[in-house]
């Protein structure tokens, strides 16, 4: 329940991207964002992506930083 509140708070605050890798302690937050109706409704604004590891998640978030604002790397 707490992870869902964190994820929804980030979406409400204007989150533009979330890039995560499976097995991280914040996996539940990423799963909530992936399943959120906001992502389906605003997929052109909010980006969500799974990465193979920390390095590729960081690279994807870095690319988002140059293109839009407020990426969230977990």
């Amino acid at each position: 329940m707490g992870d869902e509140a964190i994820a929804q708070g980030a979406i409400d605050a204007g989150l533009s991207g979330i890039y995560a890798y499976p097995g991280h302690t914040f996996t539940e937050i990423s799963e909530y964002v992936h399943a959120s109706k906001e992502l389906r409704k605003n997929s052109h604004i909010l980006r969500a992506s799974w990465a193979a590891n920390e390095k590729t998640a960081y690279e994807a978030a870095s690319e988002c930083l140059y293109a839009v604002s407020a990426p969230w790397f977990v």
Side-chain angles (χ1 to χ4, degrees):
M1 192 70 177
D3 290 334
E4 293 174 0
I6 291 170
Q8 188 61 51
I11 291 169
D12 292 343
L15 177 73
S16 62
I18 185 164
Y19 303 89
Y21 55 96
H24 193 273
T25 55
F26 295 109
T27 299
E28 293 82 11
I29 295 172
S30 299
E31 289 173 347
Y32 182 86
V33 173
H34 278 275
S36 71
K37 63 182 176 189
E38 287 87 353
L39 179 64
R40 284 174 277 169
K41 208 166 50 174
N42 300 316
S43 63
H44 62 286
I45 298 170
L46 176 60
R47 303 284 183 203
S49 176
W50 287 108
N53 56 38
E54 298 94 331
K55 182 180 182 291
T56 55
Y58 177 78
E59 290 170 349
S62 296
E63 292 170 9
C64 178
L65 181 62
Y66 291 112
V68 293
S69 61
W72 207 33
F73 169 69
V74 293

